[in-house]
Amino acid sequence: MAGVSQRKIEADEAGMRLDRWFKTHYPGVGFGHLQKLLRSGQVRVDGARAKSSTRLAAGQIVRVPPVGSDAERVAPLTHKTMRDRHDGDVIAANLLYEDDKVLVINKPAGLAVQGGSGLNRHVDGMLEAYRDRKGQKPRLVHRLDRDTSGVLVVARTRLAASFLTKAFRERTTKKVYWALVRGVPRPPQGRLSTFLIKDEDEYGDQKMRVILDKQKGADHAVTLYSAMEWVGQTLSWMSLRPVTGRMHQLRAHMDYLGHPIIGDKKYFSVENWELPGGIQNKLHLHARRLVIPHPDGGSIDVTAPLPPHMVQSWNLLGFDETTYDPVQNETVDQEGIE
């Protein structure tokens, strides 16, 4: 078995994350195994302990324990370590922001946030690969629907979770979603203020119904919307800002407005409408941007790139995702919001 080696960081590797560097030079070392090596101090940078997110500088020396072709013998792969390696790679590949208190990921469309009936893979389970040396697993502080992609915030400590959960509850966050919808709203900008009450659809699944008056069990829901661009009267690129954070709020509100979100199999209520060619029948709803206070002060401002099926639609329709989003600077009158 090979012994400990000292590897010098080359100039063209400057700025690379340590986990990415390992994946390049030692592809046989899984994410879970690398985390164990880092936690035990076997991997060091210039003699100091390091994290997977450590950014490397040219000339630094990485201490590498016996790995490479011997990696399988150093850490035999069990079902759990294989799972952790794969899940950890999924999280790492979608990281938008990371520090010792907070993780922010770009959740892929189709990946559930939490487990449920028939669900074996979900973000909450994948976070097992990110347990710290005290055994603390990162905690979810908000949710996205399974088919909604985009910015998802995770707390790495109990205190950070309490702080971030409070920020969402007290609405000191700014959330911007992008969607592709049927038709063009008139006027192109507006504010929806309704109540949402939970029903069941014909399949027994939970579904939110829009009502205009307060009823027992109904929650007040407020959404700001703005049409960014549109193609004829067929499709619009919408920027949506949920002032409140109710279950399925944006999906229910856009259908109520008469402009349901493309690919929404639960709320798209327009009959005999054909999906334009070249556009996939997947939910076109993306948590684009989030601004949230940081537990240590200041704020985190993160933007998530569009998922592949929305990139395809944007290219087909000639939309430019670098266009300025007017809703980001909207002021929100929260008076009367419950």
Side-chain angles (χ1 to χ4, degrees):
M1 181 180 297
V4 173
S5 62
Q6 306 287 335
R7 294 287 299 268
K8 184 177 181 180
I9 302 302
E10 304 298 332
D12 62 354
E13 296 174 328
M16 184 181 289
R17 284 171 51 115
L18 182 57
D19 53 1
R20 304 284 196 278
W21 183 88
F22 256 88
K23 193 167 186 178
T24 298
H25 293 281
Y26 302 96
V29 179
F31 182 86
H33 182 45
L34 176 59
Q35 291 296 99
K36 291 176 183 177
L37 295 175
L38 290 166
R39 285 196 295 267
S40 63
Q42 294 182 67
V43 172
R44 291 176 178 258
V45 177
D46 281 351
R49 287 180 177 266
K51 299 179 180 180
S52 59
S53 59
T54 296
R55 297 284 178 178
L56 300 170
Q60 285 185 317
I61 302 297
V62 179
R63 179 192 187 276
V64 182
V67 290
S69 60
D70 297 310
E72 301 296 329
R73 282 185 284 159
V74 172
L77 287 178
T78 64
H79 175 72
K80 181 180 186 302
T81 56
M82 287 176 68
R83 183 203 67 193
D84 285 353
R85 177 175 68 177
H86 185 61
D87 290 350
D89 286 346
V90 171
I91 298 294
N94 289 283
L95 274 178
L96 298 171
Y97 176 89
E98 179 183 17
D99 63 28
D100 60 352
K101 301 289 179 62
V102 183
L103 292 173
V104 184
I105 67 171
N106 183 15
K107 187 190 81 66
L111 177 62
V113 172
Q114 287 184 296
S117 178
L119 289 176
N120 295 320
R121 300 197 68 214
H122 45 81
V123 174
D124 192 39
M126 291 178 172
L127 291 172
E128 289 286 349
Y130 273 75
R131 285 189 182 273
D132 63 19
R133 45 179 92 166
K134 295 180 180 179
Q136 287 190 99
K137 175 186 156 190
R139 297 163 169 84
L140 298 168
V141 294
H142 69 128
R143 309 287 185 270
L144 291 177
D145 293 340
R146 179 177 180 177
D147 293 326
T148 302
S149 57
V151 179
L152 182 71
V153 178
V154 179
R156 303 191 81 157
T157 69
R158 180 180 56 81
L159 290 177
S162 177
F163 178 92
L164 294 168
T165 300
K166 182 180 179 182
F168 279 104
R169 184 174 62 248
E170 296 183 351
R171 304 184 189 120
T172 55
T173 62
K174 179 186 287 185
K175 295 177 283 186
V176 177
Y177 288 71
W178 281 1
L180 186 67
V181 307
R182 169 202 173 270
V184 184
R186 291 288 182 262
Q189 288 186 314
R191 181 178 185 269
L192 284 170
S193 177
T194 72
F195 292 89
L196 292 176
I197 192 165
K198 190 175 295 183
D199 279 343
E200 287 190 355
D201 64 16
E202 57 187 306
Y203 305 104
D205 294 328
Q206 291 183 342
K207 184 175 182 179
M208 304 307 291
R209 177 165 53 91
V210 174
I211 57 177
L212 299 181
D213 299 312
K214 175 70 173 176
Q215 294 182 18
K216 183 179 179 180
D219 292 315
H220 193 198
V222 178
T223 300
L224 301 177
Y225 67 88
S226 176
M228 301 280 289
E229 296 183 33
W230 47 90
V231 177
Q233 296 298 307
T234 307
L235 296 166
S236 295
W237 164 12
M238 301 297 297
S239 184
L240 308 173
R241 182 173 173 194
V243 180
T244 53
R246 310 304 184 193
M247 175 181 173
H248 298 175
Q249 175 179 319
L250 299 180
R251 298 164 64 185
H253 264 172
M254 292 314 297
D255 185 55
Y256 170 75
L257 193 63
H259 303 283
I261 298 173
I262 300 303
D264 192 339
K265 297 176 178 61
K266 180 170 288 192
Y267 289 93
F268 198 103
S269 62
V270 180
E271 297 182 358
N272 302 317
W273 189 83
E274 292 188 7
L275 189 70
I279 293 178
Q280 298 183 54
N281 190 23
K282 294 182 178 180
L283 184 66
H284 282 60
L285 179 62
H286 177 67
R288 173 66 173 179
R289 183 180 180 219
L290 177 71
V291 183
I292 187 169
H294 191 282
D296 292 337
S299 64
I300 303 170
D301 188 342
V302 183
T303 298
L306 292 172
H309 70 281
M310 290 182 69
V311 170
Q312 178 181 329
S313 298
W314 259 234
N315 289 339
L316 180 71
L317 299 171
F319 295 156
D320 180 2
E321 69 173 281
T322 64
T323 301
Y324 172 72
D325 186 342
V327 177
Q328 290 179 356
N329 291 333
E330 288 278 358
T331 57
V332 182
D333 177 10
Q334 298 199 26
E335 185 178 350
I337 295 176
E338 297 178 357

